[in-house]
Amino acid sequence: MVVKHHKDMEKDIGFRAALEEAKQGAAEGGVPIGACLVAADGKILGRGHNMRVQKGSPTIHVREWS
């Protein structure tokens, strides 16, 4: 497992996208959890945030939306 330093994570496109999604989830009144799937070439394949609170369903988690 590779552990990145905080400053390296700030430059990571996937980390930034997941953080943006988490902030969006919080702004919607939900849980601030975001996710981003990035290909080896750096292309974002999917992204999303937890919608459990917004949709009123305990089964709607970020992994289904990203």
Side-chain angles (χ1 to χ4, degrees), residues 28-58:
E28 294 172 1
V31 180
I33 299 173
C36 182
L37 179 62
V38 182
D41 65 1
K43 180 181 177 184
I44 293 178
L45 302 175
R47 59 187 284 170
H49 55 273
N50 199 320
M51 299 286 289
R52 185 181 59 80
V53 174
Q54 296 90 315
K55 300 288 185 182
S57 172

mmCIF file of all heavy atoms in Angstrom, residues 28-58:
data_model
loop_
_atom_site.group_PDB
_atom_site.id
_atom_site.type_symbol
_atom_site.label_atom_id
_atom_site.label_comp_id
_atom_site.label_asym_id
_atom_site.label_seq_id
_atom_site.Cartn_x
_atom_site.Cartn_y
_atom_site.Cartn_z
ATOM 1 N N GLU A 28 -25.644 19.559 0.155
ATOM 2 C CA GLU A 28 -27.005 19.061 -0.058
ATOM 3 C C GLU A 28 -27.648 18.566 1.233
ATOM 4 O O GLU A 28 -28.764 18.068 1.221
ATOM 5 C CB GLU A 28 -26.987 17.932 -1.087
ATOM 6 C CG GLU A 28 -26.580 18.385 -2.470
ATOM 7 C CD GLU A 28 -26.374 17.224 -3.427
ATOM 8 O OE1 GLU A 28 -26.574 16.037 -3.033
ATOM 9 O OE2 GLU A 28 -25.990 17.487 -4.580
ATOM 10 N N GLY A 29 -26.919 18.666 2.343
ATOM 11 C CA GLY A 29 -27.447 18.220 3.624
ATOM 12 C C GLY A 29 -27.166 16.768 3.939
ATOM 13 O O GLY A 29 -27.713 16.216 4.888
ATOM 14 N N GLY A 30 -26.322 16.153 3.137
ATOM 15 C CA GLY A 30 -26.009 14.741 3.334
ATOM 16 C C GLY A 30 -24.688 14.527 4.041
ATOM 17 O O GLY A 30 -24.095 15.446 4.606
ATOM 18 N N VAL A 31 -24.239 13.296 3.983
ATOM 19 C CA VAL A 31 -22.975 12.898 4.601
ATOM 20 C C VAL A 31 -21.844 13.266 3.637
ATOM 21 O O VAL A 31 -21.931 12.968 2.446
ATOM 22 C CB VAL A 31 -22.981 11.377 4.870
ATOM 23 C CG1 VAL A 31 -21.684 10.944 5.512
ATOM 24 C CG2 VAL A 31 -24.169 10.996 5.735
ATOM 25 N N PRO A 32 -20.787 13.917 4.106
ATOM 26 C CA PRO A 32 -19.712 14.349 3.214
ATOM 27 C C PRO A 32 -18.756 13.228 2.818
ATOM 28 O O PRO A 32 -17.619 13.148 3.280
ATOM 29 C CB PRO A 32 -18.991 15.432 4.023
ATOM 30 C CG PRO A 32 -19.200 15.020 5.433
ATOM 31 C CD PRO A 32 -20.578 14.397 5.472
ATOM 32 N N ILE A 33 -19.236 12.340 1.950
ATOM 33 C CA ILE A 33 -18.418 11.243 1.452
ATOM 34 C C ILE A 33 -18.444 11.295 -0.070
ATOM 35 O O ILE A 33 -19.511 11.259 -0.676
ATOM 36 C CB ILE A 33 -18.951 9.878 1.938
ATOM 37 C CG1 ILE A 33 -18.917 9.809 3.459
ATOM 38 C CG2 ILE A 33 -18.145 8.744 1.315
ATOM 39 C CD1 ILE A 33 -19.573 8.574 4.038
ATOM 40 N N GLY A 34 -17.269 11.387 -0.671
ATOM 41 C CA GLY A 34 -17.164 11.427 -2.122
ATOM 42 C C GLY A 34 -16.246 10.327 -2.612
ATOM 43 O O GLY A 34 -15.427 9.800 -1.863
ATOM 44 N N ALA A 35 -16.395 9.988 -3.894
ATOM 45 C CA ALA A 35 -15.553 8.957 -4.490
ATOM 46 C C ALA A 35 -15.248 9.326 -5.930
ATOM 47 O O ALA A 35 -16.014 10.030 -6.579
ATOM 48 C CB ALA A 35 -16.248 7.600 -4.444
ATOM 49 N N CYS A 36 -14.107 8.831 -6.412
ATOM 50 C CA CYS A 36 -13.703 9.077 -7.782
ATOM 51 C C CYS A 36 -12.903 7.870 -8.268
ATOM 52 O O CYS A 36 -12.010 7.400 -7.567
ATOM 53 C CB CYS A 36 -12.863 10.351 -7.862
ATOM 54 S SG CYS A 36 -12.371 10.775 -9.535
ATOM 55 N N LEU A 37 -13.228 7.391 -9.461
ATOM 56 C CA LEU A 37 -12.503 6.283 -10.075
ATOM 57 C C LEU A 37 -11.662 6.862 -11.210
ATOM 58 O O LEU A 37 -12.200 7.509 -12.113
ATOM 59 C CB LEU A 37 -13.479 5.233 -10.605
ATOM 60 C CG LEU A 37 -12.883 4.023 -11.303
ATOM 61 C CD1 LEU A 37 -12.011 3.232 -10.335
ATOM 62 C CD2 LEU A 37 -13.982 3.151 -11.875
ATOM 63 N N VAL A 38 -10.351 6.663 -11.131
ATOM 64 C CA VAL A 38 -9.430 7.242 -12.102
ATOM 65 C C VAL A 38 -8.658 6.124 -12.806
ATOM 66 O O VAL A 38 -8.130 5.220 -12.160
ATOM 67 C CB VAL A 38 -8.436 8.197 -11.397
ATOM 68 C CG1 VAL A 38 -7.491 8.839 -12.399
ATOM 69 C CG2 VAL A 38 -9.182 9.257 -10.614
ATOM 70 N N ALA A 39 -8.579 6.219 -14.135
ATOM 71 C CA ALA A 39 -7.814 5.253 -14.924
ATOM 72 C C ALA A 39 -6.323 5.519 -14.760
ATOM 73 O O ALA A 39 -5.910 6.582 -14.294
ATOM 74 C CB ALA A 39 -8.207 5.360 -16.402
ATOM 75 N N ALA A 40 -5.509 4.570 -15.161
ATOM 76 C CA ALA A 40 -4.061 4.701 -15.048
ATOM 77 C C ALA A 40 -3.532 5.916 -15.812
ATOM 78 O O ALA A 40 -2.526 6.508 -15.426
ATOM 79 C CB ALA A 40 -3.380 3.432 -15.557
ATOM 80 N N ASP A 41 -4.236 6.322 -16.875
ATOM 81 C CA ASP A 41 -3.787 7.481 -17.650
ATOM 82 C C ASP A 41 -4.261 8.810 -17.070
ATOM 83 O O ASP A 41 -4.019 9.869 -17.629
ATOM 84 C CB ASP A 41 -4.231 7.360 -19.106
ATOM 85 C CG ASP A 41 -5.744 7.397 -19.287
ATOM 86 O OD1 ASP A 41 -6.489 7.530 -18.293
ATOM 87 O OD2 ASP A 41 -6.194 7.292 -20.452
ATOM 88 N N GLY A 42 -4.963 8.763 -15.928
ATOM 89 C CA GLY A 42 -5.422 9.976 -15.261
ATOM 90 C C GLY A 42 -6.821 10.423 -15.627
ATOM 91 O O GLY A 42 -7.329 11.390 -15.070
ATOM 92 N N LYS A 43 -7.471 9.723 -16.542
ATOM 93 C CA LYS A 43 -8.839 10.071 -16.943
ATOM 94 C C LYS A 43 -9.827 9.656 -15.852
ATOM 95 O O LYS A 43 -9.771 8.542 -15.342
ATOM 96 C CB LYS A 43 -9.197 9.373 -18.249
ATOM 97 C CG LYS A 43 -10.592 9.676 -18.722
ATOM 98 C CD LYS A 43 -10.909 8.950 -20.012
ATOM 99 C CE LYS A 43 -12.348 9.230 -20.415
ATOM 100 N NZ LYS A 43 -12.720 8.466 -21.604
ATOM 101 N N ILE A 44 -10.733 10.568 -15.497
ATOM 102 C CA ILE A 44 -11.763 10.250 -14.510
ATOM 103 C C ILE A 44 -12.836 9.408 -15.189
ATOM 104 O O ILE A 44 -13.446 9.819 -16.176
ATOM 105 C CB ILE A 44 -12.366 11.526 -13.898
ATOM 106 C CG1 ILE A 44 -11.314 12.252 -13.054
ATOM 107 C CG2 ILE A 44 -13.590 11.190 -13.041
ATOM 108 C CD1 ILE A 44 -11.789 13.553 -12.432
ATOM 109 N N LEU A 45 -13.049 8.204 -14.654
ATOM 110 C CA LEU A 45 -14.027 7.279 -15.208
ATOM 111 C C LEU A 45 -15.394 7.418 -14.545
ATOM 112 O O LEU A 45 -16.417 7.121 -15.151
ATOM 113 C CB LEU A 45 -13.533 5.837 -15.060
ATOM 114 C CG LEU A 45 -12.184 5.528 -15.711
ATOM 115 C CD1 LEU A 45 -11.754 4.112 -15.376
ATOM 116 C CD2 LEU A 45 -12.255 5.734 -17.211
ATOM 117 N N GLY A 46 -15.398 7.854 -13.307
ATOM 118 C CA GLY A 46 -16.646 8.022 -12.578
ATOM 119 C C GLY A 46 -16.405 8.771 -11.287
ATOM 120 O O GLY A 46 -15.310 8.751 -10.746
ATOM 121 N N ARG A 47 -17.439 9.477 -10.838
ATOM 122 C CA ARG A 47 -17.344 10.207 -9.576
ATOM 123 C C ARG A 47 -18.742 10.378 -9.025
ATOM 124 O O ARG A 47 -19.719 10.330 -9.753
ATOM 125 C CB ARG A 47 -16.638 11.552 -9.765
ATOM 126 C CG ARG A 47 -17.326 12.460 -10.758
ATOM 127 C CD ARG A 47 -16.540 13.706 -11.072
ATOM 128 N NE ARG A 47 -16.609 14.676 -9.997
ATOM 129 C CZ ARG A 47 -15.870 15.761 -9.945
ATOM 130 N NH1 ARG A 47 -14.998 16.030 -10.889
ATOM 131 N NH2 ARG A 47 -15.990 16.599 -8.940
ATOM 132 N N GLY A 48 -18.824 10.553 -7.698
ATOM 133 C CA GLY A 48 -20.129 10.732 -7.080
ATOM 134 C C GLY A 48 -19.998 10.961 -5.589
ATOM 135 O O GLY A 48 -18.902 10.965 -5.044
ATOM 136 N N HIS A 49 -21.146 11.173 -4.948
ATOM 137 C CA HIS A 49 -21.150 11.363 -3.500
ATOM 138 C C HIS A 49 -22.323 10.617 -2.897
ATOM 139 O O HIS A 49 -23.259 10.239 -3.590
ATOM 140 C CB HIS A 49 -21.177 12.848 -3.116
ATOM 141 C CG HIS A 49 -22.302 13.627 -3.701
ATOM 142 N ND1 HIS A 49 -22.221 14.203 -4.948
ATOM 143 C CD2 HIS A 49 -23.528 13.927 -3.231
ATOM 144 C CE1 HIS A 49 -23.359 14.828 -5.214
ATOM 145 N NE2 HIS A 49 -24.175 14.667 -4.194
ATOM 146 N N ASN A 50 -22.226 10.388 -1.599
ATOM 147 C CA ASN A 50 -23.235 9.648 -0.867
ATOM 148 C C ASN A 50 -24.579 10.373 -0.954
ATOM 149 O O ASN A 50 -24.650 11.569 -0.718
ATOM 150 C CB ASN A 50 -22.778 9.522 0.595
ATOM 151 C CG ASN A 50 -23.473 8.422 1.328
ATOM 152 O OD1 ASN A 50 -24.657 8.213 1.155
ATOM 153 N ND2 ASN A 50 -22.737 7.722 2.168
ATOM 154 N N MET A 51 -25.646 9.668 -1.324
ATOM 155 C CA MET A 51 -26.980 10.258 -1.469
ATOM 156 C C MET A 51 -27.973 9.648 -0.483
ATOM 157 O O MET A 51 -29.180 9.815 -0.617
ATOM 158 C CB MET A 51 -27.487 10.040 -2.899
ATOM 159 C CG MET A 51 -26.632 10.686 -3.961
ATOM 160 S SD MET A 51 -26.820 12.465 -4.009
ATOM 161 C CE MET A 51 -28.449 12.614 -4.681
ATOM 162 N N ARG A 52 -27.459 8.928 0.512
ATOM 163 C CA ARG A 52 -28.313 8.212 1.461
ATOM 164 C C ARG A 52 -29.302 9.140 2.146
ATOM 165 O O ARG A 52 -30.500 8.854 2.210
ATOM 166 C CB ARG A 52 -27.438 7.501 2.496
ATOM 167 C CG ARG A 52 -28.195 6.623 3.452
ATOM 168 C CD ARG A 52 -27.256 5.976 4.448
ATOM 169 N NE ARG A 52 -26.503 6.928 5.239
ATOM 170 C CZ ARG A 52 -27.004 7.560 6.305
ATOM 171 N NH1 ARG A 52 -28.229 7.339 6.690
ATOM 172 N NH2 ARG A 52 -26.266 8.418 6.970
ATOM 173 N N VAL A 53 -28.839 10.262 2.653
ATOM 174 C CA VAL A 53 -29.704 11.193 3.376
ATOM 175 C C VAL A 53 -30.637 11.921 2.408
ATOM 176 O O VAL A 53 -31.842 12.017 2.636
ATOM 177 C CB VAL A 53 -28.857 12.209 4.184
ATOM 178 C CG1 VAL A 53 -29.732 13.268 4.819
ATOM 179 C CG2 VAL A 53 -28.035 11.494 5.242
ATOM 180 N N GLN A 54 -30.091 12.416 1.302
ATOM 181 C CA GLN A 54 -30.876 13.184 0.345
ATOM 182 C C GLN A 54 -32.033 12.373 -0.245
ATOM 183 O O GLN A 54 -33.127 12.891 -0.457
ATOM 184 C CB GLN A 54 -29.995 13.702 -0.806
ATOM 185 C CG GLN A 54 -28.930 14.670 -0.387
ATOM 186 C CD GLN A 54 -27.617 13.997 -0.026
ATOM 187 O OE1 GLN A 54 -27.596 12.995 0.675
ATOM 188 N NE2 GLN A 54 -26.519 14.570 -0.487
ATOM 189 N N LYS A 55 -31.797 11.098 -0.526
ATOM 190 C CA LYS A 55 -32.821 10.240 -1.131
ATOM 191 C C LYS A 55 -33.646 9.482 -0.092
ATOM 192 O O LYS A 55 -34.605 8.807 -0.448
ATOM 193 C CB LYS A 55 -32.170 9.234 -2.084
ATOM 194 C CG LYS A 55 -31.412 9.868 -3.222
ATOM 195 C CD LYS A 55 -32.344 10.473 -4.236
ATOM 196 C CE LYS A 55 -31.545 10.989 -5.420
ATOM 197 N NZ LYS A 55 -32.376 11.623 -6.424
ATOM 198 N N GLY A 56 -33.257 9.594 1.178
ATOM 199 C CA GLY A 56 -34.008 8.927 2.241
ATOM 200 C C GLY A 56 -33.945 7.413 2.178
ATOM 201 O O GLY A 56 -34.888 6.732 2.559
ATOM 202 N N SER A 57 -32.830 6.887 1.703
ATOM 203 C CA SER A 57 -32.692 5.438 1.580
ATOM 204 C C SER A 57 -31.376 4.978 2.190
ATOM 205 O O SER A 57 -30.315 5.496 1.842
ATOM 206 C CB SER A 57 -32.722 5.022 0.107
ATOM 207 O OG SER A 57 -32.409 3.650 -0.025
ATOM 208 N N PRO A 58 -31.415 3.989 3.072
ATOM 209 C CA PRO A 58 -30.185 3.488 3.669
ATOM 210 C C PRO A 58 -29.333 2.680 2.703
ATOM 211 O O PRO A 58 -28.219 2.300 3.018
ATOM 212 C CB PRO A 58 -30.679 2.614 4.828
ATOM 213 C CG PRO A 58 -32.029 2.185 4.413
ATOM 214 C CD PRO A 58 -32.599 3.315 3.598
#
